[in-house]
Amino acid sequence: MILPILVVDGIEVKEFKSFSLSFPGSNQLNKLTASITNPDYDNASLFGKEVELYLNAGSIDTVPIFRGVIKTLSPTDKNVSISCLDVRTFITGKDSQKINVTDGDNYDGFSVAQFLRKVISETVNKDKIRIGLGMLRDTNNLLPLTGYRGNEAPFDIAKNKLDDAIDIADLNNPLFYMLDIEEGANNSHIVIKKQKYLSESSSLKLSTRDGILKYSYKRRPIPSKV
């Protein structure tokens, strides 16, 4: 049986015990929490280090199911728990650099994808590729940032603009766009995704055969209309 592998800063953590993954969607960041059964890791410089989690469902994976950075560390006398967020944390939250968009310095005429590509290339990826851009494409109906003025993190600027892009091909089931992450062999790529109908095939399927110990879900009644 091939077990999951946790890699921190390019080095496999042998004392890796358990983990919890969260993919909330709706423009929320993916989160990984993991437990390391070696309290000495508390003495290591782990904050901001890159983390990769390979699920290894039956064979050695070449692409991690999660890639991100360590944001918090919780040590005890027996283990160290780390909490990590995906690479979108570089362009949102308290640690990201805000963009001051004014009449003299703005992104008028830029689409959402063009804006993200420029800002990430000039700031986040200036000395190292932290966020992949190879899969970044615009929505079908281009959304220009013309007229936007403010002082926000890049992720928040793009996210708020995407709220204007709605697929209303089916008026009863409108689909919204969101910023998400696609994992690659070397980098995590930021992408613009459209919501799926529940009747479509899922993006990720897991079962107890993939090493899942337990799971839970909520069954909701089908809505009725009168």
Side-chain angles (χ1 to χ4, degrees), residues 7-80:
V7 178
V8 176
D9 201 26
I11 301 174
E12 181 183 349
V13 178
K14 298 294 185 180
E15 299 88 347
F16 169 50
K17 181 183 179 183
S18 61
F19 70 91
S20 174
L21 268 177
S22 174
F23 298 102
S26 301
N27 288 313
Q28 299 180 69
L29 273 61
N30 303 330
K31 183 178 181 180
L32 164 70
T33 57
S35 178
I36 301 173
T37 58
N38 184 348
D40 291 338
Y41 271 86
D42 183 34
N43 299 320
S45 178
L46 296 179
F47 291 108
K49 297 292 186 180
E50 183 180 278
V51 171
E52 295 171 313
L53 176 68
Y54 294 87
L55 194 60
N56 294 323
S59 62
I60 298 296
D61 296 342
T62 57
V63 176
I65 192 173
F66 175 90
R67 182 186 283 113
V69 294
I70 297 176
K71 304 299 291 185
T72 60
L73 199 70
S74 302
T76 68
D77 59 331
K78 295 182 179 179
N79 57 54
V80 175

Side-chain angles (χ1 to χ4, degrees), residues 91 93-101 123 150-154 156-157:
I91 55 173
K94 295 183 292 183
D95 298 332
S96 66
Q97 179 180 339
K98 290 187 177 181
I99 303 295
N100 188 23
V101 184
T123 56
N151 185 23
E152 296 181 278
D156 301 315
I157 295 174

Side-chain angles (χ1 to χ4, degrees), residues 31 87 190:
K31 183 178 181 180
V87 296
I190 190 167

Side-chain angles (χ1 to χ4, degrees), residues 67-139:
R67 182 186 283 113
V69 294
I70 297 176
K71 304 299 291 185
T72 60
L73 199 70
S74 302
T76 68
D77 59 331
K78 295 182 179 179
N79 57 54
V80 175
S81 296
I82 58 173
S83 179
C84 318
L85 295 176
D86 72 60
V87 296
R88 287 174 292 176
T89 188
F90 290 114
I91 55 173
T92 188
K94 295 183 292 183
D95 298 332
S96 66
Q97 179 180 339
K98 290 187 177 181
I99 303 295
N100 188 23
V101 184
T102 64
D103 289 335
D105 186 9
N106 54 64
Y107 293 90
D108 289 357
F110 280 72
S111 67
V112 172
Q114 289 173 328
F115 163 73
L116 288 172
R117 192 179 302 276
K118 180 176 176 61
V119 170
I120 292 172
S121 297
E122 294 180 351
T123 56
V124 178
N125 293 350
K126 193 172 183 179
D127 56 348
K128 176 185 176 182
I129 298 179
R130 295 180 173 86
I131 301 178
L133 300 171
M135 300 181 186
L136 183 59
R137 303 289 185 274
D138 264 305
T139 56

Side-chain angles (χ1 to χ4, degrees), residues 196-205:
K196 284 186 173 184
Y197 293 118
L198 291 177
S199 57
E200 296 183 63
S201 59
S202 58
S203 301
L204 178 65
K205 293 183 179 180

